[in-house]
Amino acid sequence: MAMDTGAFLTKLEMVTTSDHSSVVSMNLFVALLCACIVIGHLLEENRWMNESITALAIGLGTGIVILLTTGGKSSHLLVFSEDLFFIYLLPPIIFNAGFQVKKKQFFRNFMTIMLFGAVGTLISFAIISLGAIHFFQKMNIGSLKIGDILAIGAIFSATDSVCTLQVLNQDETPLLYSVVFGEGVVNDATSVVLFNAIQSFDLYHIDSVIALQFIGSFLYLFITSTMLGVLAGLLSAFMIKKLYFGRHSTDREVALMILMAYLSYMLAELFYLSAILTVFFCGIVMSHYTWHNVTESSRVTTKHAFATLSFVAEIFIFLYVGMDALDIDKWRFISDSPGKSVAVSSILLGLVLVGRAAFVFPLSFLSNLTKNSPHDRISLKQQVTIWWAGLMRGAVSMALAYNQFTRSGHTQLHLNAIMITSTISVVLFSTVVFGLMTKPLVRILLPPSKQITSVISSEPSSPKSVIVPLLSNGHESEADKGSQHVTRPTSLRMLLSIPSHTVHHYWRKFDDSFMRPVFGGRGFVPFIPGSPIEDVVQWH
């Protein structure tokens, strides 16, 4: 009995020690997050640095300190897992992106965004995969299977636009911002869908039937994922409009919006869909309908709550990536052949550069054929900026690489170790070097005009994105008013551009006549008993 009691106390002591070490780790990590925010604020006016690079640098510095204090055993405060990234960190980032996006610009450039995000990613995927086959077979780094080669193509096709979007201004360069931002979201979804499809198909017996199944699966995932996000957003709008949560508690409105958004993401994961696309379109629909159905205090709260969650998740990711880059276990396996790892990293970086250029410039030319106005066309300087903006690789690439080349966070194979360390090297180099050069490059290629700067400084603090209706042109500009008197050119451009105006026109009529009366939206005033507007509430 005494022995049992002693053993129990020993186990209890071990659990208590483990729990305490976890508490210590969390304290240190939260302190580092605070440090990232403070230092990022102090460097706000710096023309080189941004929040992502700051967090990455602090992560690297912290990793070095931990390595020294643990005698080279570990560089981590927390253990990385795909679940942590895909289930907890990615949803608030993507949802806030959809919630805050300027829908006018996003849907005006929707075909361009889909060209870059879907078709462009497939072109980049093909070039990187073919390049990997050509170069890696000659280097004799190990027996790469066809699944590994195609997975490498998907891993390095995933761009990381977070770093660039912190530099671009949605008001100064609306066309550029909407294209880079929209492409980044669609690109991430396309890369993840490609990666999952590669793992689920028999790649050793490819024929026309399997190729058609692959394309069909791809389209099915895109369409169903988008529809699930739209349905979740509409359901939240209908519930909040009909049940008037604001008359009792604004907290319930805010909680329901957050939980419905997260539920859409988890439902997509449950049914093996693209959760990124689902939560993104859920954000767009919520900002168009649901957000207008809640009370004024809930509107302010949700806008800042979603932005804050996204901001913290982004810093968390970059901070951890910085620490993970110094994980000694990965580097120990390639210590006998560091030259090969450097060569693999250089080849992958070169393929990323070529793969990006191979679709940005040709697809920009095709996109420009569909534009009537010169202001809507992508200039050569903007094309260079878009090319550069998509060169950075980040957390999605890291997560997919872990999935393909590790088991439980560690790898025991030389080939896998080379691929993991090469991925880390590409992510670090592209984020730091390309990221540092992005802001000066944008300033040189696209200097902000004085007129735009004065308009931005005089705008209200709340973003237009949450008050501009879906697919609408917002406030009618003189160009919009005068567009009726402009003779349309009889050319291919006219043929390609007229349907979009027709779709826009009919969508506005459909939205005003059917959608807003049911789901609320702009112009809808929530009913609050006892409020001054109780007697003049108009239901739409």
Side-chain angles (χ1 to χ4, degrees), residues 49 401 410:
M49 296 295 286
H410 298 283

Side-chain angles (χ1 to χ4, degrees), residues 3 68 88 105 117 184 225 239 257 355 404 427 434 447 478 505:
M3 289 181 62
L68 294 175
Y88 300 110
Q105 284 294 333
S225 301
M239 288 168 59
M257 286 184 71
Q404 182 70 22
V427 168
F434 295 158
E478 292 181 11
H505 172 72

Side-chain angles (χ1 to χ4, degrees), residues 168-178 382 442 446 452:
L168 294 176
N169 189 296
Q170 193 165 190
D171 296 294
E172 288 180 10
T173 54
L175 170 66
L176 194 63
Y177 186 95
S178 66
Q382 289 176 325
V442 171
L446 306 165
I452 291 175

